[in-house]
Amino acid sequence: VNISHANSRVSAVLPTGESVEVLLFGATVISWKDRAGNEKLWLSDAAKLDGSKAVRGGIPLVFPVFGTAPDHAATSKLPQHGFARNSKWEFLGKSSSESASSTSHSDASVKLDFGLSSATLDEKTKGLWPYTFSAIYSVTLTPEGLSTGIVITNDGKEPFDCQVLLHTYLRINDITKVKITGLEDSKYIDKVVGAQTKSQSGAVTITGETDRVYTPAKGPSSPVVVTEGGSNAFSIMRDNLKDVVVWNPWAEKAAGMGDFEPKSGFKNMICVEAGSVRSWTSLETGDAFEGAQTLSY
Ligand code: BG6
């Protein structure tokens, strides 16, 4: 496995050709390619990669709050989606596993670990959220797919509440041909129409601005599948992440976002975001929360 750590990012290429690139800013995965070099994630042409703004595309990491929570005193001062995506993470190292066979490296995979803790947060953020925590985010690339998982530990004396979301921008060719299955018969909150609670029947199709928080009735062990024109494009497996956000800004919202380019890019992306965001996870002193997703195609 070929690893490079330069230019504020870490990238890895498997002997079979798959690759991943992670920016230290936000520990944001900004590229994931299959062995033929096809990009699987959508990244805006105008995404800021210099740390001046959260990355528009890839997999930004949402913690400790999803959206904003004006009614939740402990997190009410934080910016939209918290500080994890806007903080500089530390690269903790890699562990790779090569194939058992000496003649073939076809099973080689790599895990890249990143860390963030209250001790390394900037002073401003510490002032907005004064809790003592540590987080380890692991990005694992295999020939079959990409897994991203987070462990958050309360290292302080006070309990704290948090939410976590893996804000994945999947690259697709034509949003009008996309169907999302695995969310059938599930309740969701429709953020486009004043946070109404609705019920999904059948597959999800996207025909306009979409911003929904699903809690899939089938539970986390059942995959959410994105198909395009009838063929499987992505499968998302979740571990301990009970909610799934489905987001597409459509034309008007995309036009209003300075870092969303090209403006027609909403046709080429769909955010399917595994997380724990409907309720708060309370972590007592010494407790840890663990959540992960595995994306495959
Ligand atoms: C989604 C939210 O997860 O992220 C949307 O449900 C939000 O409401 C979107 O618009 C993008 O957020 P941001 O902060 O990256 O523009």
Side-chain angles (χ1 to χ4, degrees):
V1 179
N2 196 342
I3 313 267
S4 99
H5 179 193
N7 196 16
S8 303
R9 58 190 76 185
V10 180
S11 45
V13 185
L14 300 185
T16 39
E18 297 83 359
S19 66
V20 69
E21 198 171 351
V22 186
L23 208 59
L24 294 182
F25 180 69
T28 316
V29 177
I30 52 169
S31 170
W32 166 41
K33 290 180 181 160
D34 67 15
R35 63 183 56 186
N38 298 313
E39 181 59 61
K40 309 307 284 181
L41 300 176
W42 185 84
L43 177 68
S44 166
D45 290 350
K48 297 272 186 259
L49 304 181
D50 62 358
S52 59
K53 193 181 190 301
V55 177
R56 178 68 60 204
I59 315 181
L61 192 49
V62 171
F63 170 83
V65 60
F66 167 63
T68 53
D71 300 335
H72 187 261
T75 47
S76 60
K77 293 191 207 118
L78 288 175
Q80 158 119 330
H81 291 340
F83 54 76
R85 65 176 184 166
N86 286 308
S87 297
K88 183 153 186 230
W89 290 61
E90 189 189 345
F91 179 45
L92 302 176
K94 53 125 191 177
S95 41
S96 37
S97 67
E98 303 292 337
S99 160
S101 147
S102 56
T103 50
S104 143
H105 289 284
S106 59
D107 297 319
S109 62
V110 67
K111 179 161 81 75
L112 307 171
D113 287 329
F114 301 86
L116 181 72
S117 71
S118 36
T120 57
L121 284 185
D122 61 50
E123 291 305 318
K124 186 176 163 235
T125 305
K126 270 186 218 171
L128 300 176
W129 201 74
Y131 301 98
T132 307
F133 78 98
S134 54
I136 294 181
Y137 185 52
S138 302
V139 175
T140 306
L141 178 66
T142 72
E144 287 74 43
L146 183 75
S147 302
T148 71
I150 190 159
V151 182
I152 293 146
T153 308
N154 183 347
D155 300 319
K157 294 194 173 68
E158 306 286 325
F160 64 74
D161 287 347
C162 64
Q163 297 174 327
V164 172
L165 180 80
L166 306 170
H167 198 309
T168 308
Y169 289 72
L170 300 170
R171 172 173 283 279
I172 41 109
N173 294 312
D174 182 354
I175 191 71
T176 65
K177 299 203 171 101
V178 164
K179 281 199 168 89
I180 306 169
T181 61
L183 303 173
E184 296 81 2
D185 308 317
S186 304
K187 290 263 186 296
Y188 67 89
I189 296 173
D190 193 337
K191 290 175 70 180
V192 174
V193 285
Q196 277 175 35
T197 300
K198 296 184 178 172
S199 193
Q200 180 68 36
S201 55
V204 178
T205 52
I206 313 290
T207 54
E209 187 193 349
T210 304
D211 192 358
R212 301 176 180 176
V213 184
Y214 285 89
T215 303
K218 286 176 183 158
S221 54
S222 178
V224 174
V225 175
V226 177
T227 63
E228 192 170 352
S231 11
N232 280 16
F234 294 98
S235 154
I236 300 132
M237 298 290 297
R238 290 169 292 130
D239 185 2
N240 202 31
L241 295 174
K242 54 190 187 321
D243 306 317
V244 175
V245 178
V246 176
W247 180 64
N248 183 293
W250 214 250
E252 204 177 312
K253 278 273 163 69
M257 281 185 271
D259 62 350
F260 197 104
E261 288 291 348
K263 292 303 174 201
S264 61
F266 73 91
K267 293 174 187 161
N268 306 118
M269 51 79 58
I270 179 72
C271 283
V272 182
E273 317 164 19
S276 179
V277 297
R278 273 292 292 275
S279 55
W280 294 93
T281 297
S282 293
L283 290 184
E284 301 289 331
T285 301
D287 276 2
F289 172 83
E290 231 178 305
Q293 67 173 354
T294 298
L295 310 170
S296 54
Y297 45 84

